[in-house]
């Protein structure tokens, strides 16, 4: 499978590359700081809403109140209504990945499958997710994260498109083998 590596630093660049994003893409985004990461996350999710996709943001970088406020400004939609209808989903990393303090890849894959089925039954044609991975590093789950990512493959076989967001400083803590594994298990690599 061909993998594209793209240097991207601005939301304008994301807009111009949105045509490269397809259902099933498993993308790794590596960012110099949290501000750029989140700016691109909101643009990626906005594009998903415009494509009739359920969108999900998984992060602990902002409070849910701050996220909703930014979404209202950027998306220009009724975020509260769409969130109540599960067309917009906001989760902390802890809520989604390790609510009981542990991380189990099989349990997470089941959660994704159930969420995608629910989204499809509610008339959305895809689930678009931006996942901020910083909490994995903060809570000591970097090794488990790399293993989990490697089990997902470069492309999803179900209706899901995801960007896994990493910061440069987090990537620098990985071994070269772990970083290679991350590159190999994503079909698009964005720096």
């Amino acid at each position: 499978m061909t993998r594209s590596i793209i240097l991207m630093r601005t939301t304008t660049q994301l807009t111009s590359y949105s045509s490269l994003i397809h259902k099933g893409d498993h993308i790794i985004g590596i960012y110099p700081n949290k501000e750029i990461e989140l700016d691109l996350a909101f643009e990626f999710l906005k594009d998903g809403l415009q494509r009739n996709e359920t969108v999900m943001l998984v992060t602990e970088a902002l409070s849910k109140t701050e996220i909703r406020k930014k979404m209202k400004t950027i998306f220009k939609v009724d975020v509260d209504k769409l969130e109540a209808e599960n067309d917009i989903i906001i989760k902390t990393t802890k809520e989604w990945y390790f609510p009981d303090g542990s991380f189990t890849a099989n349990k997470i894959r089941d959660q994704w499958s159930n969420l995608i089925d629910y989204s499809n039954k509610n008339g959305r044609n895809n689930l678009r997710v931006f996942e901020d991975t910083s909490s994995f590093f903060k809570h000591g789950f970097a090794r488990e994260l790399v293993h989990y990512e490697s089990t997902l493959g470069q492309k999803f076989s179900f209706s899901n498109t995801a960007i896994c967001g990493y910061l440069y400083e987090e990537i620098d803590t990985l071994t070269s083998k772990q970083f290679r594994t991350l590159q190999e298990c994503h079909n698009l690599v964005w720096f």
Side-chain angles (χ1 to χ4, degrees):
M1 181 166 293
T2 303
R3 184 172 24 267
S4 297
I5 298 177
I6 301 168
L7 180 61
M8 183 177 324
R9 298 252 193 268
T10 67
T11 55
T12 303
Q13 288 171 310
L14 177 63
T15 302
S16 67
Y17 288 120
S18 68
S19 64
L20 296 175
I21 299 169
H22 303 289
K23 284 183 190 177
D25 282 346
H26 186 203
I27 304 163
I28 182 173
I30 305 171
Y31 308 98
N33 59 56
K34 195 57 71 180
E35 182 181 355
I36 290 173
E37 177 184 35
L38 291 172
D39 285 349
L40 290 169
F42 285 113
E43 288 301 317
F44 172 73
L45 296 175
K46 177 183 173 184
D47 184 55
L49 272 181
Q50 293 170 343
R51 294 181 188 209
N52 193 39
E53 298 174 345
T54 298
V55 298
M56 181 176 186
L57 178 61
V58 182
T59 188
E60 292 179 4
L62 298 171
S63 72
K64 290 183 180 184
T65 301
E66 292 170 312
I67 291 168
R68 288 180 190 104
K69 185 178 177 183
K70 282 185 85 76
M71 285 181 169
K72 287 175 185 176
T73 301
I74 296 168
F75 296 0
K76 299 189 185 337
V77 297
D78 185 343
V79 171
D80 298 324
K81 178 180 181 257
L82 292 174
E83 190 175 8
E85 295 170 352
N86 284 320
D87 291 330
I88 292 177
I89 302 166
I90 303 166
K91 295 283 186 186
T92 66
T93 310
K94 185 174 185 199
E95 285 174 328
W96 187 253
Y97 286 107
F98 30 91
D100 61 1
S102 64
F103 177 75
T104 308
N106 289 337
K107 185 173 90 175
I108 300 304
R109 281 193 298 275
D110 289 344
Q111 282 180 189
W112 286 125
S113 180
N114 292 337
L115 185 56
I116 290 163
D117 287 346
Y118 177 83
S119 176
N120 290 337
K121 287 177 186 171
N122 285 317
R124 294 295 179 159
N125 59 25
N126 193 39
L127 173 65
R128 182 178 288 225
V129 182
F130 189 95
E131 304 166 78
D132 174 357
T133 63
S134 292
S135 288
F136 285 90
F137 291 87
K138 178 181 174 187
H139 295 289
F141 291 120
R143 184 176 53 82
E144 291 85 354
L145 173 62
V146 172
H147 171 73
Y148 167 69
E149 291 264 43
S150 72
T151 67
L152 299 174
Q154 284 187 4
K155 294 276 282 181
F156 298 116
S157 58
F158 39 87
S159 297
N160 187 27
T161 305
I163 293 180
C164 305
Y166 291 80
L167 295 178
Y168 290 172
E169 63 195 51
E170 296 159 350
I171 291 293
D172 287 344
T173 68
L174 300 174
T175 66
S176 57
K177 181 179 179 185
Q178 288 173 319
F179 182 55
R180 234 181 355 269
T181 298
L182 286 178
Q183 288 178 304
E184 291 168 358
C185 65
H186 293 86
N187 70 309
L188 290 172
V189 180
W190 292 349
F191 285 94

